[in-house]
Amino acid sequence: MSSPHIIYFISVGNWVSKRPGIYDILLQLRGIPFLEESCPTGARHANIRARNVMSAGVTTIGTTMLVKDLIGVLTRHSYSDFPVVDSAGDGALLGSISRVDLSALLSKKELFFAKGEDGGLLTYDELDKARTKSKGMTAGDIKKGLTADDEEKFIYLSPYMQIAPITIHGHGSAERAYEIFRSLGIRQLLVVDKHSRPIGIIMRHELARLEEIGEDHHHIEKKQRETMLSRRSSVRHFA
């Protein structure tokens, strides 16, 4: 094969390899921010931590919830997954449960129970059918099908939660958070403290801003270093 042909195929190969994949194109069509393959250089050099880019004050739920409280959570928040914590203890993370599963469970009134009673349980197949039945239903739709007495009952969530969800420590690097999003294709990432308590949540649009955040932090840190050096010089001169 002649040199011109080799150069042509190499060029085409490089062009194809740099094009976004089908998954990334679908995200863009749905209005979800696109993340480049590598974390922005500015963010890597700025020593940004996960806690610097997260949205603080993440909403958590317990292993057993009052039906009306659970509907309120779904109404106020658009998370795709909700962290389940030990609400009777120190608030440590126990797992997570998807919005889809919560809607499915709330559509099954036979799972509700009054205080002092035992709640019902669904098999995996029954839960899967409930998911299909409740698909497209909003929290408002579910609420319309409930009575005041239904809303005052409880529902078990622990049997349906995902154990050990993907998390990142608040002191972990934002670059690592970026890599997790890119490699696993997740929609949100939970941030925890040293006691495994949820302290915030990172969404794709927050990571998409890492380039400008990285530049801002770089300029701030540079200014802080210059100020510290100036103060040290003044102290030495005075001495």
Side-chain angles (χ1 to χ4, degrees):
M1 185 180 291
S2 62
S3 296
H5 287 91
I6 294 175
I7 294 173
Y8 169 76
F9 285 115
I10 290 176
S11 299
V12 171
N14 288 336
W15 176 73
V16 171
S17 65
K18 292 179 180 178
R19 295 182 65 192
I22 295 298
Y23 174 74
D24 296 314
I25 293 173
L26 290 175
L27 288 178
Q28 287 180 297
L29 290 175
R30 294 177 62 185
I32 300 174
F34 171 75
L35 299 179
E36 297 291 344
E37 185 174 350
S38 299
C39 183
T41 304
R44 293 203 305 268
H45 294 167
N47 195 32
I48 302 175
R49 300 301 172 185
R51 65 179 185 274
N52 299 136
V53 297
M54 72 180 188
S55 293
V58 60
T59 297
T60 62
I61 57 179
T63 54
T64 301
M65 291 283 291
L66 197 62
V67 170
K68 68 177 181 180
D69 290 344
L70 189 54
I71 291 176
V73 169
L74 291 177
T75 301
R76 293 189 300 271
H77 305 282
S78 59
Y79 302 145
S80 58
D81 293 277
F82 291 84
V84 182
V85 301
D86 180 12
S87 52
D90 61 355
L93 181 68
L94 298 176
S96 68
I97 188 167
S98 71
R99 185 181 198 89
V100 172
D101 283 355
L102 288 176
S103 297
L105 294 172
L106 286 170
S107 70
K108 305 290 288 184
K109 297 172 69 170
E110 61 267 31
L111 298 179
F112 303 169
F113 62 95
K115 192 172 183 179
E117 297 179 348
D118 292 327
L121 294 174
L122 294 182
T123 64
Y124 180 82
D125 287 341
E126 290 171 334
L127 177 59
D128 196 42
K129 291 178 181 178
R131 290 191 190 109
T132 302
K133 183 179 178 181
S134 63
K135 187 176 182 180
M137 293 179 65
T138 65
D141 295 331
I142 295 173
K143 183 179 175 64
K144 289 178 183 178
L146 303 179
T147 66
D149 287 339
D150 290 333
E151 293 191 43
E152 293 299 327
K153 292 183 179 180
F154 295 86
I155 184 169
Y156 287 136
L157 300 180
S158 53
Y160 314 101
M161 70 181 185
Q162 175 191 347
I163 305 299
I166 301 168
T167 63
I168 187 170
H169 193 281
H171 291 289
S173 69
E175 180 181 2
R176 176 56 182 156
Y178 194 100
E179 291 172 350
I180 292 174
F181 265 83
R182 281 294 303 173
S183 60
L184 300 179
I186 58 178
R187 297 178 61 183
Q188 61 187 43
L189 178 62
L190 194 63
V191 184
V192 297
D193 65 13
K194 64 180 181 180
H195 300 294
S196 295
R197 295 175 300 208
I199 59 173
I201 195 165
I202 298 176
M203 309 294 280
R204 291 181 71 95
H205 70 269
E206 290 157 336
L207 290 177
R209 293 182 57 247
L210 273 181
E211 185 64 56
E212 61 180 272
I213 293 176
E215 293 174 357
D216 291 342
H217 276 249
H218 175 72
H219 293 315
I220 291 171
E221 289 181 357
K222 181 179 179 181
K223 185 66 176 178
Q224 289 174 338
R225 287 194 297 269
E226 290 174 350
T227 302
M228 290 176 64
L229 290 173
S230 177
R231 288 176 179 173
R232 289 177 182 174
S233 177
S234 299
V235 171
R236 288 172 183 170
H237 179 71
F238 178 77

